[in-house]
Amino acid sequence: MLIQENYNLKIKNSFGLNVSTKYFCEVVSKTELKEVLEQFKNENILLLGGGSNILFTKNFDGCVLQYNQKGISKLDEDKDSILLEVFAGELWDDFISYCVENNFYGIENLSLIPGTVGAAPIQNIGAYGQELKDSFFAANGVYLEDFKERTFFKSGCNFDYRTSIFKHELKNKFLITSVVFRLMKSHQLNMHYGSIEQELKKMGKNNPTLSDIRNIVIKIRQEKLPDPKILGNCGSFFKNPEVEKKRFENISQSFPLVKGFPASENTVKIPAGWLIEQCGWKGKRIGNVGVHELQALVLVNYGGADGNEILQLAQKIKDDVYQKFEIQLEEEVNIV
Ligand code: EPU
């Protein structure tokens, strides 16, 4: 186990921000984890997954910890489904690739989302009509304070749109060491998201396979979302706001082109990308940072940015959206 001092986190955060941490440590087992937690019991601990949903605004005064144990194993199986335990350090998209190769259905629409399996439940990652919670069975892990082990089953995780108990009450208090998924073995695909439907039509595919869906999702993402290896970003910077139906109807009267997707019986989700675009921000650049030209929900670092520049840009966008629509955007990324 290697503990590094004054470690530069540039390659560990997908915004590519040049920040450092007093200590950085990568562990691959619970034994190593226990050792590190004992050694750094008086330091601040920050748990880092793939670094693809975090905005560092300053250097970190403490120990950044990455739990990188890898491996996938079968826990159980019946004629319809399989239970797989996946260690936290597996890359999310590698796990999807494994599932698609083995014909396990349920997470294919989440293809190409960056990050690790251990981080995926924290914000209940979602895309193209699927969410992690749909296939989630349990998360195993330990409390940092006393190293007590615990399994959280789905009902105890408070999953909701881009959130869970791990993102709030248990933030930096509980480390997920593995996640158990229940995946389906028979053909069942979720193809109702607009852009997937359009792509299937274009390709003339009436009966797509599991790997067709994965490939389509990858294609859509690659066309719209910048590759963090080339242009620093964290995917969607804000969440799509949910408003009361009545409020949505009022907005539609002033802005007939507004799109809304039912979120619950009384609420509608409005694409934040659309709101931001209406405020004229799409494709705009200020210094080293900007709003992506193809997807206004993605803020980018053109190189050399400081986390605070991104934060200031985000604030300007929030102010403008509020002024025009009286809607308060909320960040999806974690700000440190
Ligand atoms: N839109 C605009 N302008 C834009 C961007 C989007 O008008 O600049 C409109 C589109 O025309 C479309 C609607 O907004 O009608 C939805 O756009 P899109 O399908 O691109 O999805 P999104 O709502 O912007 C969400 C997730 C993404 C996920 C996609 C696909 C959130 C915060 N974001 O984005 O997740 O990939 O749906 O399901 O819910 C992420 O969380 O990091 C992320 C990328």
Side-chain angles (χ1 to χ4, degrees), residues 52-53 109 113-114 123 125-130 161-162 193 195 220-221 224-225 234-240 259 261 269-278 282 292-298 332:
S52 53
N53 202 42
N109 295 29
I113 293 183
Q123 66 148 356
I125 58 171
Y128 307 104
Q130 248 174 20
Y161 171 55
R162 294 297 194 277
Y193 200 86
S195 43
I220 298 170
R221 288 188 74 97
K224 267 203 176 168
L225 297 169
C234 258
S236 301
F237 193 88
F238 301 102
K239 292 197 265 189
N240 286 330
K259 284 181 189 147
F261 304 93
K269 221 182 255 177
I270 302 182
W274 185 85
L275 297 169
I276 297 168
E277 186 174 344
Q278 297 312 301
K282 194 170 185 171
H292 193 244
E293 55 189 0
L294 301 176
Q295 173 40 296
L297 201 42
V298 178
E332 191 203 80

Side-chain angles (χ1 to χ4, degrees), residues 164-182:
S164 74
I165 193 169
F166 309 110
K167 189 167 177 178
H168 294 285
E169 291 94 319
L170 296 179
K171 189 171 180 178
N172 284 314
K173 291 188 178 139
F174 184 79
L175 183 140
I176 295 174
T177 51
S178 70
V179 184
V180 182
F181 293 90
R182 180 165 186 257

Side-chain angles (χ1 to χ4, degrees), residues 279-297:
C279 294
W281 276 108
K282 194 170 185 171
K284 261 201 184 165
R285 177 173 176 166
I286 302 184
N288 296 318
V289 298
V291 177
H292 193 244
E293 55 189 0
L294 301 176
Q295 173 40 296
L297 201 42

Side-chain angles (χ1 to χ4, degrees), residues 90-286:
E90 280 289 341
L91 288 180
W92 174 255
D93 194 57
D94 289 354
F95 172 49
I96 301 192
S97 166
Y98 167 91
C99 290
V100 169
E101 268 167 37
N102 287 283
N103 279 313
F104 302 145
Y105 294 74
I107 53 172
E108 56 285 346
N109 295 29
L110 307 179
S111 288
L112 214 63
I113 293 183
T116 58
V117 166
I122 297 176
Q123 66 148 356
N124 181 28
I125 58 171
Y128 307 104
Q130 248 174 20
E131 281 186 327
L132 168 122
K133 74 170 165 55
D134 306 334
S135 307
F136 176 94
F137 186 79
N140 300 308
V142 293
Y143 287 97
L144 301 189
E145 198 183 22
D146 54 9
F147 211 74
K148 257 200 193 127
E149 298 198 17
R150 172 152 178 201
T151 297
F152 279 88
F153 292 98
K154 189 166 165 171
S155 58
C157 294
N158 302 349
F159 284 128
D160 208 336
Y161 171 55
R162 294 297 194 277
T163 190
S164 74
I165 193 169
F166 309 110
K167 189 167 177 178
H168 294 285
E169 291 94 319
L170 296 179
K171 189 171 180 178
N172 284 314
K173 291 188 178 139
F174 184 79
L175 183 140
I176 295 174
T177 51
S178 70
V179 184
V180 182
F181 293 90
R182 180 165 186 257
L183 298 157
M184 306 314 286
K185 292 183 350 186
S186 58
H187 186 89
Q188 44 187 287
L189 297 168
N190 183 338
M191 304 178 281
H192 301 302
Y193 200 86
S195 43
I196 294 189
E197 274 176 350
Q198 284 156 22
E199 205 58 44
L200 284 169
K201 221 174 181 181
K202 253 199 261 167
M203 293 163 79
K205 292 236 176 204
N206 296 324
N207 291 307
T209 62
L210 183 56
S211 66
D212 285 337
I213 296 296
R214 171 164 164 80
N215 292 336
I216 286 172
V217 170
I218 289 175
K219 178 171 183 283
I220 298 170
R221 288 188 74 97
Q222 284 176 336
E223 278 171 3
K224 267 203 176 168
L225 297 169
D227 178 351
K229 285 190 200 104
I230 299 165
L231 195 58
N233 75 90
C234 258
S236 301
F237 193 88
F238 301 102
K239 292 197 265 189
N240 286 330
E242 220 172 293
V243 299
E244 298 285 324
K245 260 189 185 162
K246 267 215 171 116
R247 174 95 189 81
F248 178 74
E249 282 155 19
N250 287 342
I251 296 175
S252 324
Q253 278 169 8
S254 318
F255 303 93
L257 292 178
V258 65
K259 284 181 189 147
F261 304 93
S264 71
E265 218 176 295
N266 295 317
T267 59
V268 175
K269 221 182 255 177
I270 302 182
W274 185 85
L275 297 169
I276 297 168
E277 186 174 344
Q278 297 312 301
C279 294
W281 276 108
K282 194 170 185 171
K284 261 201 184 165
R285 177 173 176 166
I286 302 184

Side-chain angles (χ1 to χ4, degrees), residues 9 12 21 23-27 33 36-37 43-56 60 62-68 88 116 118-119 122 140-145 147 166-167 170-177 334 336:
L9 291 165
K12 295 285 182 184
T21 170
Y23 303 104
F24 178 79
C25 186
E26 196 182 327
V27 292
L33 175 65
V36 174
L37 291 178
E43 295 283 350
N44 298 315
I45 301 282
L46 176 83
L47 302 176
L48 191 68
S52 53
N53 202 42
I54 193 162
L55 173 66
F56 285 102
F60 187 71
C63 178
V64 172
L65 194 66
Q66 239 180 0
Y67 191 83
N68 276 341
T116 58
I122 297 176
N140 300 308
V142 293
Y143 287 97
L144 301 189
E145 198 183 22
F147 211 74
F166 309 110
K167 189 167 177 178
L170 296 179
K171 189 171 180 178
N172 284 314
K173 291 188 178 139
F174 184 79
L175 183 140
I176 295 174
T177 51
N334 291 299
V336 177

